[in-house]
Every structure is written in C-alpha cells, then in structure tokens.
Amino acid sequence: MATQASHEDSAQVLSELRAFIDAEVARVGSTDAINPGHRVKFHWPPHPESYSFHVLASDWSSSIVAKMHGEEFELTIARTRHGVFGRSDALWLEAHGETDDKMLRKLQQRAEPLFQRQFAIARCLGMEVRFKGHVRDLPPASLVKLLYCSDRDVANDARIQIETHARSHLFTPALIQILQDKRHPNRRAAQWCVLDLFEDLPSFVVSPAEEEEALAAIRELIWTAPDDYARTIYKAGVVLGGHLPHITGGKMLLSCLDAPSRIGRRSAIHGLFHTVEWVPDLKEAVVRELRRVAETDSEPLLRSFAQDMARDIEDADTDHIQEPVFLDEP
C-alpha cells in the first residue's frame, strides 16, 4: 500500500464504497439501521487437544477425509489409548473423541466459528465461496467494506488494518462517507469503527477543509440519531469531547445540547464531562449550559442527567454519573 495515496486512489475507494452501499440497500430493500449486537472476539487456532494428552509425532499414522460445508478436508489421524485425534492442517484445527464419528462431530463443531467468520467476510464482499485468506491482504476498498461486516470482530480487524495506514490518507474520504451514511442497514457498526479511528483525526486528514467535513459528520450523527445501536452515538460524544475537544469538538457538543435527537443530547451531556477534563477554560460555559438543559429539556431523564453532570463537573469529580437509558429506547 502506498505511503501517500493519490486523489484518484482515494476517489476510487470512495466510489467502490458508494456502489457497495447502493447494492446492499437494493438487496435488503430497507434503509432502517439494525442493531449489530456485541462484538465477539475470535481466537484461532483453538488449543490443540493432542498437546494435553502428549500425543507423539509418530502416533499420527493414518488419514481420512471429512466433509464440511460441501468441501473435503484431509485429516491426519492418531489412534491412541486416549481415543482418536484428528487434525486438519488446512483449518489449523484438532479434535478428539472416543471414536472416529465422535471425533468428526467434534471437529465440525469446533470448526464452525471459523466457517461462519469466513462466510461473513465472503457475504460482505460479494464472494461466492468462503474467504480463505487474511484480512490484512485485502485491497483498500475491501477493507472499507468490511467495516460493515455482520461479524463485528471482522469489522474490527479491518479497522486495525486501516489504522495502520492512516497517514496514507487513502481511506479518509470513504471513512467520512461512512459517518454520513444513512442508508446501509449495518451502518452503526461501521460508524463505530470510523469514530474509533477518528480519535486520531489529525493523522487521517490532509487539509482544514477535510477536518471540518469529518467533524461536521460526527456532529450530524449526534444531531439526528434515532438510536444508539453499537453505542455509536455515545462514542461520537466521547470522540468530540475526549479526543478532539481542542479542534472545536467541545463547542460542537455545546451546540448539540439542543439537538432534536434525545439520543444525541444524552451523548453531548456525557461528552462535555470529558471536554472539561481537557479544556478547563470551558468549564464555566459547560456548567452554565448543563444547568440550562436541566431546566428546559423535554426529557425528564435528561434534565436529571444534566443537573447531575453539572454538579460532577463543578465539584471536579474524577468520575461522573452514569448516562440514563430511556425505557422505550430502540
């Protein structure tokens, strides 16, 4: 991947992302956001069971073929006094059972998380067969698309790869587009990843105009949010208040206290606690505005939240009141 991407390179990544979003909206027939659930960390390979039984290299003396998801896998077999061990070099996987059949059933069970991860990547990228490679080897546009993957751990892996190349500036226009996205059903997971990347926004942007566009996209997320799936809107407040408070982030959060979205106003109230940690000069204005919100907000929970947050900030507490959850929150 080039050290410094050209405008044409970043434009191509952005174009492919837009086509990807269009295709998914057409396929699903809806632009409603879905709740992507929690990230489940993926660890592979599992611990080799043969190590626990001190199976010797000489014990692996035969082989059989196992069929899984329409594919055949050659297994090396060790038959010992502890039972049957099967090993697939292709899957980096072992299983152990009292008989061949029990070992095979266990192998299939243990392999399923890997298959489901590979199928999730393939679906996201429009592949007809399971993905057998490494995320790190994918081209830039594919990495951006994987931020939308239904498997949030896959999306996180793509995020890590993009972060490695932040200063190439290859991804920035596409990442801003993701923050602006109001159409792809799985946008909240992708937006969370982008917000995590933009904690170090100066590494991604090449101009004040691009920085302003990124900040405006984060503010818009807070301003209009109908939900907080994946805690994306919460994250947006943390990024503006805790990571970008000097780059107008604190002032943006102050304006978001009047956002139409109650989800967004909650995020702003929380984010302002972190703003004051980094920009003490804003403390007086933040406390004043929070007390105004405590008197005027249409949501009783937010009035109480703003009052308690103002108190915590004024008292210079090292922690703050936990943000409330609306009873009817989606």
Side-chain angles (χ1 to χ4, degrees):
M1 202 174 293
T3 302
Q4 184 71 40
S6 69
H7 174 73
E8 291 76 14
D9 292 336
S10 59
Q12 179 62 34
V13 175
L14 176 59
S15 176
E16 290 192 40
L17 172 66
R18 286 172 170 165
F20 166 80
I21 294 172
D22 288 344
E24 184 63 10
V25 171
R27 186 188 72 82
V28 175
S30 172
T31 58
D32 293 341
I34 62 172
N35 189 342
H38 297 293
R39 174 188 165 201
V40 178
K41 292 184 180 180
F42 179 78
H43 299 285
W44 204 265
H47 178 71
E49 291 189 283
S50 63
Y51 285 18
S52 301
F53 291 90
H54 306 291
V55 177
L56 303 176
S58 58
D59 292 330
W60 300 93
S61 56
S62 61
S63 64
I64 61 174
V65 172
K67 290 186 176 182
M68 291 179 280
H69 292 285
E71 295 184 57
E72 292 187 346
F73 298 88
E74 184 174 353
L75 307 183
T76 306
I77 303 299
R79 292 186 172 86
T80 73
R81 61 189 179 89
H82 300 295
V84 181
F85 294 82
R87 180 174 65 202
S88 168
D89 292 333
L91 299 175
W92 288 66
L93 180 64
E94 286 187 8
H96 167 230
E98 295 175 0
T99 64
D100 283 17
D101 286 344
K102 289 182 178 180
M103 178 275 293
L104 287 170
R105 284 198 296 271
K106 188 170 184 180
L107 186 81
Q108 291 172 342
Q109 182 182 32
R110 298 191 88 196
E112 199 58 25
L114 174 63
F115 282 124
Q116 291 308 313
R117 178 184 177 87
Q118 293 173 329
F119 290 144
I121 294 173
R123 284 194 302 270
C124 188
L125 298 181
M127 298 177 174
E128 295 184 359
V129 296
R130 69 183 175 95
F131 176 75
K132 302 176 185 179
H134 297 285
V135 169
R136 64 176 178 268
D137 297 328
L138 289 167
S142 293
L143 290 175
V144 169
K145 293 173 188 177
L146 280 185
L147 297 179
Y148 287 89
C149 187
S150 59
D151 184 329
R152 290 190 66 186
D153 196 64
V154 170
N156 186 67
D157 280 356
R159 178 195 64 79
I160 291 170
Q161 295 305 315
I162 292 171
E163 185 173 35
T164 302
H165 301 284
R167 294 190 182 276
S168 72
H169 304 129
L170 174 61
F171 298 96
T172 308
L175 297 179
I176 294 173
Q177 177 69 63
I178 290 173
L179 291 180
Q180 296 169 336
D181 180 15
K182 295 184 178 181
R183 301 172 61 231
H184 194 292
N186 206 32
R187 58 187 175 270
R188 289 292 182 247
Q191 288 165 344
W192 191 98
C193 288
V194 174
L195 289 166
D196 197 71
L197 292 168
F198 279 4
E199 287 180 358
D200 185 23
L201 183 62
S203 293
F204 281 91
V205 297
V206 296
S207 67
E210 194 170 55
E211 178 180 272
E212 184 177 339
E213 186 181 13
L215 287 165
I218 299 174
R219 181 185 183 276
E220 179 68 9
L221 266 180
I222 295 173
W223 192 261
T224 61
D227 61 74
D228 201 11
Y229 296 151
R231 301 209 79 191
T232 296
I233 311 308
Y234 172 90
K235 179 77 169 177
V238 170
V239 171
L240 286 182
H243 296 273
L244 306 172
H246 300 90
I247 315 176
T248 73
K251 293 180 180 178
M252 281 188 167
L253 287 180
L254 282 171
S255 72
C256 286
L257 291 175
D258 295 313
S261 165
R262 61 179 182 171
I263 302 289
R265 298 198 302 276
R266 179 179 65 187
S267 173
I269 292 169
H270 168 251
L272 284 167
F273 180 90
H274 300 294
T275 295
V276 172
E277 289 180 311
W278 294 102
V279 191
D281 289 349
L282 283 177
K283 178 177 178 178
E284 183 178 343
V286 167
V287 170
R288 182 176 63 250
E289 285 301 289
L290 287 176
R291 286 191 169 144
R292 176 183 65 81
V293 170
E295 295 292 332
T296 62
D297 198 279
S298 60
E299 290 284 345
L301 280 176
L302 293 185
R303 292 200 298 271
S304 177
F305 185 37
Q307 182 63 45
D308 290 340
M309 191 66 80
R311 180 201 63 221
D312 290 343
I313 291 172
E314 194 165 50
D315 293 346
D317 282 351
T318 56
D319 205 354
H320 58 77
I321 187 73
Q322 187 173 3
E323 66 279 2
V325 177
F326 302 109
L327 293 177
D328 61 340
E329 191 169 340

